[in-house]
Amino acid sequence: MIVFDLDDCLWSPEMYTLFATPSVPTEGYLDPEEELALDPVYKERRVILAAASSSEEPSYSRACLGGIEVLPGLTLRDMIQYDQIGRTGKLTSRKTTHFTLLHEESGVPYNEMLFFDDCNWGDHCADVTRSVGVVSQRTPHGMRLSEFHTGLTKYDAEARKRLGG
């Protein structure tokens, strides 16, 4: 399962800086090269996509998911199978709460998850790796193709260790 943070990882700006729900197509960080990276992931259904966001405006984040067209006629909302967005109820600003629910909902083991997060005011990646064993990759300037590949390489190395190879 590949899990993405949302605000400032897949798009800008942070939702708390907006005064209302975005009403125009949202501009994301994904350029044509990144689109190609997600195209086979989605079409072949070899990987489950999910979102873990501590957005202070979950409804805005959900609107953005529906507003970013990754491929013609296909939005991020269409591609993401599981999401935990916000910081109310069982969710807090700590992403470990999001991963607990993603794990419970999907049944995917933590060590079979790869997480991308931009967080520059803390380190959600280190926290979820240390706490539950999720492989993580920081994206301090938003999702970039090089960071996507670095994350995949880290995940592959951990999977090889886990499988004894």
PDB file of all heavy atoms in Angstrom, residues 103-125:
ATOM      1  N   HIS A 103      -4.663   0.466   8.674  1.00  0.00           N
ATOM      2  CA  HIS A 103      -4.350  -0.953   8.868  1.00  0.00           C
ATOM      3  C   HIS A 103      -5.615  -1.743   9.218  1.00  0.00           C
ATOM      4  O   HIS A 103      -5.870  -2.807   8.632  1.00  0.00           O
ATOM      5  CB  HIS A 103      -3.294  -1.090   9.966  1.00  0.00           C
ATOM      6  CG  HIS A 103      -3.110  -2.483  10.460  1.00  0.00           C
ATOM      7  ND1 HIS A 103      -2.561  -3.490   9.690  1.00  0.00           N
ATOM      8  CD2 HIS A 103      -3.425  -3.041  11.645  1.00  0.00           C
ATOM      9  CE1 HIS A 103      -2.540  -4.604  10.392  1.00  0.00           C
ATOM     10  NE2 HIS A 103      -3.056  -4.364  11.581  1.00  0.00           N
ATOM     11  N   GLU A 104      -6.402  -1.233  10.158  1.00  0.00           N
ATOM     12  CA  GLU A 104      -7.638  -1.923  10.561  1.00  0.00           C
ATOM     13  C   GLU A 104      -8.613  -2.029   9.399  1.00  0.00           C
ATOM     14  O   GLU A 104      -9.239  -3.067   9.187  1.00  0.00           O
ATOM     15  CB  GLU A 104      -8.300  -1.187  11.723  1.00  0.00           C
ATOM     16  CG  GLU A 104      -7.548  -1.320  13.032  1.00  0.00           C
ATOM     17  CD  GLU A 104      -8.121  -0.444  14.140  1.00  0.00           C
ATOM     18  OE1 GLU A 104      -9.155   0.237  13.925  1.00  0.00           O
ATOM     19  OE2 GLU A 104      -7.526  -0.437  15.241  1.00  0.00           O
ATOM     20  N   GLU A 105      -8.750  -0.962   8.622  1.00  0.00           N
ATOM     21  CA  GLU A 105      -9.714  -0.928   7.521  1.00  0.00           C
ATOM     22  C   GLU A 105      -9.287  -1.803   6.346  1.00  0.00           C
ATOM     23  O   GLU A 105     -10.111  -2.495   5.743  1.00  0.00           O
ATOM     24  CB  GLU A 105      -9.875   0.528   7.064  1.00  0.00           C
ATOM     25  CG  GLU A 105     -10.965   0.743   6.038  1.00  0.00           C
ATOM     26  CD  GLU A 105     -11.094   2.202   5.636  1.00  0.00           C
ATOM     27  OE1 GLU A 105     -10.418   3.081   6.211  1.00  0.00           O
ATOM     28  OE2 GLU A 105     -11.894   2.460   4.718  1.00  0.00           O
ATOM     29  N   SER A 106      -7.990  -1.775   6.017  1.00  0.00           N
ATOM     30  CA  SER A 106      -7.516  -2.474   4.816  1.00  0.00           C
ATOM     31  C   SER A 106      -7.004  -3.883   5.080  1.00  0.00           C
ATOM     32  O   SER A 106      -6.982  -4.710   4.174  1.00  0.00           O
ATOM     33  CB  SER A 106      -6.387  -1.672   4.174  1.00  0.00           C
ATOM     34  OG  SER A 106      -5.219  -1.710   4.991  1.00  0.00           O
ATOM     35  N   GLY A 107      -6.540  -4.149   6.304  1.00  0.00           N
ATOM     36  CA  GLY A 107      -5.917  -5.428   6.607  1.00  0.00           C
ATOM     37  C   GLY A 107      -4.475  -5.526   6.124  1.00  0.00           C
ATOM     38  O   GLY A 107      -3.831  -6.566   6.283  1.00  0.00           O
ATOM     39  N   VAL A 108      -3.947  -4.453   5.533  1.00  0.00           N
ATOM     40  CA  VAL A 108      -2.566  -4.462   5.044  1.00  0.00           C
ATOM     41  C   VAL A 108      -1.625  -4.326   6.235  1.00  0.00           C
ATOM     42  O   VAL A 108      -1.776  -3.413   7.048  1.00  0.00           O
ATOM     43  CB  VAL A 108      -2.332  -3.301   4.038  1.00  0.00           C
ATOM     44  CG1 VAL A 108      -0.872  -3.213   3.635  1.00  0.00           C
ATOM     45  CG2 VAL A 108      -3.226  -3.472   2.811  1.00  0.00           C
ATOM     46  N   PRO A 109      -0.641  -5.227   6.357  1.00  0.00           N
ATOM     47  CA  PRO A 109       0.335  -5.116   7.454  1.00  0.00           C
ATOM     48  C   PRO A 109       1.139  -3.813   7.328  1.00  0.00           C
ATOM     49  O   PRO A 109       1.407  -3.348   6.215  1.00  0.00           O
ATOM     50  CB  PRO A 109       1.250  -6.326   7.251  1.00  0.00           C
ATOM     51  CG  PRO A 109       0.483  -7.266   6.389  1.00  0.00           C
ATOM     52  CD  PRO A 109      -0.412  -6.414   5.527  1.00  0.00           C
ATOM     53  N   TYR A 110       1.525  -3.248   8.457  1.00  0.00           N
ATOM     54  CA  TYR A 110       2.285  -2.003   8.455  1.00  0.00           C
ATOM     55  C   TYR A 110       3.564  -2.115   7.630  1.00  0.00           C
ATOM     56  O   TYR A 110       3.935  -1.176   6.922  1.00  0.00           O
ATOM     57  CB  TYR A 110       2.669  -1.596   9.884  1.00  0.00           C
ATOM     58  CG  TYR A 110       1.494  -1.226  10.752  1.00  0.00           C
ATOM     59  CD1 TYR A 110       1.157  -2.013  11.845  1.00  0.00           C
ATOM     60  CD2 TYR A 110       0.743  -0.090  10.493  1.00  0.00           C
ATOM     61  CE1 TYR A 110       0.089  -1.672  12.672  1.00  0.00           C
ATOM     62  CE2 TYR A 110      -0.330   0.264  11.308  1.00  0.00           C
ATOM     63  CZ  TYR A 110      -0.648  -0.534  12.398  1.00  0.00           C
ATOM     64  OH  TYR A 110      -1.702  -0.192  13.195  1.00  0.00           O
ATOM     65  N   ASN A 111       4.239  -3.261   7.703  1.00  0.00           N
ATOM     66  CA  ASN A 111       5.508  -3.386   6.986  1.00  0.00           C
ATOM     67  C   ASN A 111       5.327  -3.580   5.481  1.00  0.00           C
ATOM     68  O   ASN A 111       6.298  -3.713   4.756  1.00  0.00           O
ATOM     69  CB  ASN A 111       6.379  -4.497   7.582  1.00  0.00           C
ATOM     70  CG  ASN A 111       5.781  -5.873   7.435  1.00  0.00           C
ATOM     71  OD1 ASN A 111       4.681  -6.045   6.907  1.00  0.00           O
ATOM     72  ND2 ASN A 111       6.498  -6.866   7.916  1.00  0.00           N
ATOM     73  N   GLU A 112       4.078  -3.564   5.030  1.00  0.00           N
ATOM     74  CA  GLU A 112       3.792  -3.605   3.595  1.00  0.00           C
ATOM     75  C   GLU A 112       3.211  -2.267   3.125  1.00  0.00           C
ATOM     76  O   GLU A 112       2.549  -2.188   2.093  1.00  0.00           O
ATOM     77  CB  GLU A 112       2.836  -4.754   3.273  1.00  0.00           C
ATOM     78  CG  GLU A 112       3.483  -6.107   3.494  1.00  0.00           C
ATOM     79  CD  GLU A 112       2.570  -7.275   3.159  1.00  0.00           C
ATOM     80  OE1 GLU A 112       1.528  -7.075   2.496  1.00  0.00           O
ATOM     81  OE2 GLU A 112       2.902  -8.398   3.574  1.00  0.00           O
ATOM     82  N   MET A 113       3.498  -1.212   3.905  1.00  0.00           N
ATOM     83  CA  MET A 113       3.055   0.141   3.561  1.00  0.00           C
ATOM     84  C   MET A 113       4.268   1.021   3.295  1.00  0.00           C
ATOM     85  O   MET A 113       5.306   0.865   3.936  1.00  0.00           O
ATOM     86  CB  MET A 113       2.242   0.756   4.702  1.00  0.00           C
ATOM     87  CG  MET A 113       0.947   0.053   4.995  1.00  0.00           C
ATOM     88  SD  MET A 113       0.084   0.905   6.356  1.00  0.00           S
ATOM     89  CE  MET A 113      -1.289  -0.209   6.619  1.00  0.00           C
ATOM     90  N   LEU A 114       4.114   1.940   2.347  1.00  0.00           N
ATOM     91  CA  LEU A 114       5.116   2.949   2.025  1.00  0.00           C
ATOM     92  C   LEU A 114       4.431   4.302   2.125  1.00  0.00           C
ATOM     93  O   LEU A 114       3.399   4.529   1.492  1.00  0.00           O
ATOM     94  CB  LEU A 114       5.672   2.721   0.616  1.00  0.00           C
ATOM     95  CG  LEU A 114       6.571   3.799   0.014  1.00  0.00           C
ATOM     96  CD1 LEU A 114       7.803   4.038   0.884  1.00  0.00           C
ATOM     97  CD2 LEU A 114       6.963   3.411  -1.411  1.00  0.00           C
ATOM     98  N   PHE A 115       5.012   5.211   2.919  1.00  0.00           N
ATOM     99  CA  PHE A 115       4.401   6.500   3.228  1.00  0.00           C
ATOM    100  C   PHE A 115       5.260   7.651   2.732  1.00  0.00           C
ATOM    101  O   PHE A 115       6.467   7.684   2.962  1.00  0.00           O
ATOM    102  CB  PHE A 115       4.220   6.601   4.742  1.00  0.00           C
ATOM    103  CG  PHE A 115       3.638   7.887   5.245  1.00  0.00           C
ATOM    104  CD1 PHE A 115       2.527   8.464   4.664  1.00  0.00           C
ATOM    105  CD2 PHE A 115       4.200   8.516   6.347  1.00  0.00           C
ATOM    106  CE1 PHE A 115       1.980   9.637   5.149  1.00  0.00           C
ATOM    107  CE2 PHE A 115       3.667   9.683   6.861  1.00  0.00           C
ATOM    108  CZ  PHE A 115       2.556  10.251   6.259  1.00  0.00           C
ATOM    109  N   PHE A 116       4.613   8.614   2.053  1.00  0.00           N
ATOM    110  CA  PHE A 116       5.267   9.844   1.600  1.00  0.00           C
ATOM    111  C   PHE A 116       4.648  11.019   2.335  1.00  0.00           C
ATOM    112  O   PHE A 116       3.419  11.170   2.344  1.00  0.00           O
ATOM    113  CB  PHE A 116       5.076  10.024   0.087  1.00  0.00           C
ATOM    114  CG  PHE A 116       5.776   8.985  -0.735  1.00  0.00           C
ATOM    115  CD1 PHE A 116       5.103   7.846  -1.138  1.00  0.00           C
ATOM    116  CD2 PHE A 116       7.102   9.147  -1.097  1.00  0.00           C
ATOM    117  CE1 PHE A 116       5.748   6.877  -1.901  1.00  0.00           C
ATOM    118  CE2 PHE A 116       7.751   8.184  -1.862  1.00  0.00           C
ATOM    119  CZ  PHE A 116       7.070   7.050  -2.262  1.00  0.00           C
ATOM    120  N   ASP A 117       5.498  11.859   2.946  1.00  0.00           N
ATOM    121  CA  ASP A 117       5.000  13.000   3.723  1.00  0.00           C
ATOM    122  C   ASP A 117       5.990  14.156   3.634  1.00  0.00           C
ATOM    123  O   ASP A 117       7.198  13.945   3.705  1.00  0.00           O
ATOM    124  CB  ASP A 117       4.809  12.596   5.184  1.00  0.00           C
ATOM    125  CG  ASP A 117       4.082  13.648   5.992  1.00  0.00           C
ATOM    126  OD1 ASP A 117       4.710  14.658   6.370  1.00  0.00           O
ATOM    127  OD2 ASP A 117       2.874  13.460   6.246  1.00  0.00           O
ATOM    128  N   ASP A 118       5.456  15.369   3.504  1.00  0.00           N
ATOM    129  CA  ASP A 118       6.292  16.561   3.383  1.00  0.00           C
ATOM    130  C   ASP A 118       6.644  17.201   4.718  1.00  0.00           C
ATOM    131  O   ASP A 118       7.490  18.078   4.767  1.00  0.00           O
ATOM    132  CB  ASP A 118       5.550  17.629   2.565  1.00  0.00           C
ATOM    133  CG  ASP A 118       4.371  18.171   3.354  1.00  0.00           C
ATOM    134  OD1 ASP A 118       3.348  17.469   3.447  1.00  0.00           O
ATOM    135  OD2 ASP A 118       4.486  19.277   3.920  1.00  0.00           O
ATOM    136  N   CYS A 119       6.002  16.833   5.788  1.00  0.00           N
ATOM    137  CA  CYS A 119       6.003  17.572   7.053  1.00  0.00           C
ATOM    138  C   CYS A 119       7.356  18.209   7.390  1.00  0.00           C
ATOM    139  O   CYS A 119       8.343  17.524   7.604  1.00  0.00           O
ATOM    140  CB  CYS A 119       5.557  16.683   8.205  1.00  0.00           C
ATOM    141  SG  CYS A 119       5.245  17.623   9.695  1.00  0.00           S
ATOM    142  N   ASN A 120       7.356  19.538   7.436  1.00  0.00           N
ATOM    143  CA  ASN A 120       8.571  20.286   7.755  1.00  0.00           C
ATOM    144  C   ASN A 120       8.573  20.826   9.176  1.00  0.00           C
ATOM    145  O   ASN A 120       9.551  21.408   9.615  1.00  0.00           O
ATOM    146  CB  ASN A 120       8.755  21.432   6.751  1.00  0.00           C
ATOM    147  CG  ASN A 120       9.150  20.911   5.385  1.00  0.00           C
ATOM    148  OD1 ASN A 120      10.089  20.147   5.245  1.00  0.00           O
ATOM    149  ND2 ASN A 120       8.407  21.304   4.367  1.00  0.00           N
ATOM    150  N   TRP A 121       7.492  20.667   9.899  1.00  0.00           N
ATOM    151  CA  TRP A 121       7.436  21.138  11.292  1.00  0.00           C
ATOM    152  C   TRP A 121       7.595  19.988  12.282  1.00  0.00           C
ATOM    153  O   TRP A 121       7.640  20.201  13.481  1.00  0.00           O
ATOM    154  CB  TRP A 121       6.151  21.921  11.557  1.00  0.00           C
ATOM    155  CG  TRP A 121       4.894  21.197  11.168  1.00  0.00           C
ATOM    156  CD1 TRP A 121       4.229  21.286   9.972  1.00  0.00           C
ATOM    157  CD2 TRP A 121       4.136  20.285  11.956  1.00  0.00           C
ATOM    158  NE1 TRP A 121       3.137  20.469   9.962  1.00  0.00           N
ATOM    159  CE2 TRP A 121       3.045  19.845  11.179  1.00  0.00           C
ATOM    160  CE3 TRP A 121       4.277  19.778  13.248  1.00  0.00           C
ATOM    161  CZ2 TRP A 121       2.108  18.937  11.654  1.00  0.00           C
ATOM    162  CZ3 TRP A 121       3.329  18.874  13.707  1.00  0.00           C
ATOM    163  CH2 TRP A 121       2.268  18.473  12.908  1.00  0.00           C
ATOM    164  N   GLY A 122       7.693  18.795  11.779  1.00  0.00           N
ATOM    165  CA  GLY A 122       7.901  17.598  12.581  1.00  0.00           C
ATOM    166  C   GLY A 122       8.360  16.501  11.635  1.00  0.00           C
ATOM    167  O   GLY A 122       8.634  16.774  10.476  1.00  0.00           O
ATOM    168  N   ASP A 123       8.440  15.291  12.112  1.00  0.00           N
ATOM    169  CA  ASP A 123       8.866  14.207  11.231  1.00  0.00           C
ATOM    170  C   ASP A 123       7.906  13.033  11.357  1.00  0.00           C
ATOM    171  O   ASP A 123       8.166  12.072  12.077  1.00  0.00           O
ATOM    172  CB  ASP A 123      10.302  13.789  11.558  1.00  0.00           C
ATOM    173  CG  ASP A 123      10.900  12.893  10.472  1.00  0.00           C
ATOM    174  OD1 ASP A 123      10.149  12.417   9.597  1.00  0.00           O
ATOM    175  OD2 ASP A 123      12.117  12.667  10.514  1.00  0.00           O
ATOM    176  N   HIS A 124       6.772  13.137  10.636  1.00  0.00           N
ATOM    177  CA  HIS A 124       5.791  12.056  10.633  1.00  0.00           C
ATOM    178  C   HIS A 124       6.397  10.764  10.108  1.00  0.00           C
ATOM    179  O   HIS A 124       6.045   9.678  10.560  1.00  0.00           O
ATOM    180  CB  HIS A 124       4.574  12.420   9.775  1.00  0.00           C
ATOM    181  CG  HIS A 124       3.737  13.516  10.313  1.00  0.00           C
ATOM    182  ND1 HIS A 124       3.219  13.515  11.579  1.00  0.00           N
ATOM    183  CD2 HIS A 124       3.317  14.665   9.747  1.00  0.00           C
ATOM    184  CE1 HIS A 124       2.505  14.602  11.783  1.00  0.00           C
ATOM    185  NE2 HIS A 124       2.564  15.322  10.681  1.00  0.00           N
ATOM    186  N   CYS A 125       7.296  10.883   9.136  1.00  0.00           N
ATOM    187  CA  CYS A 125       7.904   9.680   8.560  1.00  0.00           C
ATOM    188  C   CYS A 125       8.658   8.888   9.627  1.00  0.00           C
ATOM    189  O   CYS A 125       8.446   7.685   9.770  1.00  0.00           O
ATOM    190  CB  CYS A 125       8.827  10.062   7.404  1.00  0.00           C
ATOM    191  SG  CYS A 125       7.938  10.613   5.940  1.00  0.00           S
TER     192      CYS A 125
END
